[in-house]
Each structure stands twice: as structure tokens, then as C-alpha cells.
Amino acid sequence: MQAANSNATRAEAGTTDFVTVFVGETMFGLAINRVHDVFIPAGVTPVPLSPPEIVGLLNLRGRVVTALCLRRRLSLPDREGETGRMAIGLEQGGETFALIVDGVGEVLKLGTDTHEAVPINLDARWRDLSLGVHRLDGHLLVILDVDALLAFGTPNLTAGAA
């Protein structure tokens, strides 16, 4: 793995910076230009009748933020315990979201030489939320599509209507 250069103003052609996050042992990447904050979530207030991936609302420097659980968004079981959780601040359409993850790693500067399309054998629950993968020293970094990740809502209620 190659860590990001400390000189953030120098952009190398063909490289992209990713913030790595973890859900269990799986490593995911978020484009650094979409990440606004990294923080420890506290004081989450549940929202009745919200989609299951919505953990609740929290206060982030005076702003009300929707907290979204990446585990639930990826159709994975909830984590045991609250300790060690981290949040990534993301914005979309003028609204701020807190993406709750198990842990935050480092910033990686990756080139196109390690990038591959979404593998056909990637879990179907993750395929539509991914932009591709990077193979790194025996690890697979799944790059998440932030737009798709935050495009959630209630299921189609008319489908179940009789």
C-alpha cells in the first residue's frame, strides 16, 4: 500500500486519493474530495419510522446531521457494542450525512494501475454501491460510490399494495 504524499497540493497525473474505512475486516475507499469530516459519533437520536440504515440524527458543530450505518447499507449484521465506532462526514444535495463505520484507516494515493472494474463475483448487495476495486498487497479495497450510497429511501410501497 502506498500512503498519500504529505504535500497535498501536488497532484500526480492518474492518481486519486481515497480515505479508507473499515467494516469488520473489509476495507472500503471513499474519494477524499467527498469527505468533509472524520469524528466520533455521540448523542445519536433515533428517528421513528426511518429506513433501517438510518441510525438517527446527531449534532455536528451546530448542524443536524443524518447518521447512516454503512453496515446496514451493505446489508451486513449490526456490530456488537458501540465502542470504537467512527463517522465520516459527507455532503450531498446540501444535506450533511454521518456515515457510521467500524474504523477509519489512512489516506491512500492510488493510480489506475491497481484499479479494476467491479468484479462479477462481488456480493450483489455491494455491486450497485461500488465504482470498482483496487488490489493492494493481498487486500481488496472496494471503492464506494458516495452518490449511490446516499441514494436510499423507503421501499416502493405501491409494489406491495393489493
Side-chain angles (χ1 to χ4, degrees):
M1 284 190 266
Q2 181 180 9
N5 188 327
S6 61
N7 184 1
T9 59
R10 193 179 106 204
E12 296 178 28
T15 63
T16 306
D17 291 345
F18 296 99
V19 175
T20 58
V21 298
F22 293 89
V23 175
E25 297 296 317
T26 306
M27 185 168 52
F28 295 94
L30 298 165
I32 198 164
N33 64 343
R34 298 299 303 269
V35 174
H36 294 277
D37 298 289
V38 176
F39 59 98
I40 298 172
V44 179
T45 304
V47 178
L49 304 176
S50 65
E53 54 266 4
I54 299 294
V55 177
L57 302 174
L58 56 86
N59 182 332
L60 179 62
R61 292 188 301 275
R63 294 181 70 183
V64 176
V65 175
T66 303
L68 170 76
C69 178
L70 183 57
R71 278 183 168 275
R72 292 180 187 174
R73 188 69 177 110
L74 296 171
S75 302
L76 296 172
D78 285 345
R79 177 180 157 174
E80 296 291 326
E82 300 284 319
T83 59
R85 292 188 322 166
M86 296 291 294
I88 302 291
L90 305 169
E91 286 199 27
Q92 172 143 340
E95 186 174 348
T96 304
F97 294 88
L99 184 64
I100 308 296
V101 297
D102 292 351
V104 177
E106 59 187 331
V107 175
L108 299 177
K109 182 181 293 291
L110 300 172
T112 55
D113 57 326
T114 59
H115 183 264
E116 297 179 20
V118 177
I120 190 97
N121 61 349
L122 186 67
D123 191 311
R125 299 170 294 182
W126 300 3
R127 237 180 266 135
D128 293 336
L129 301 175
S130 303
L131 294 172
V133 298
H134 286 269
R135 294 187 192 276
L136 308 169
D137 297 331
H139 289 56
L140 188 67
L141 175 68
V142 179
I143 304 301
L144 293 174
D145 180 351
V146 174
D147 293 325
L149 196 63
L150 299 178
F152 59 90
T154 56
N156 187 354
L157 298 177
T158 58

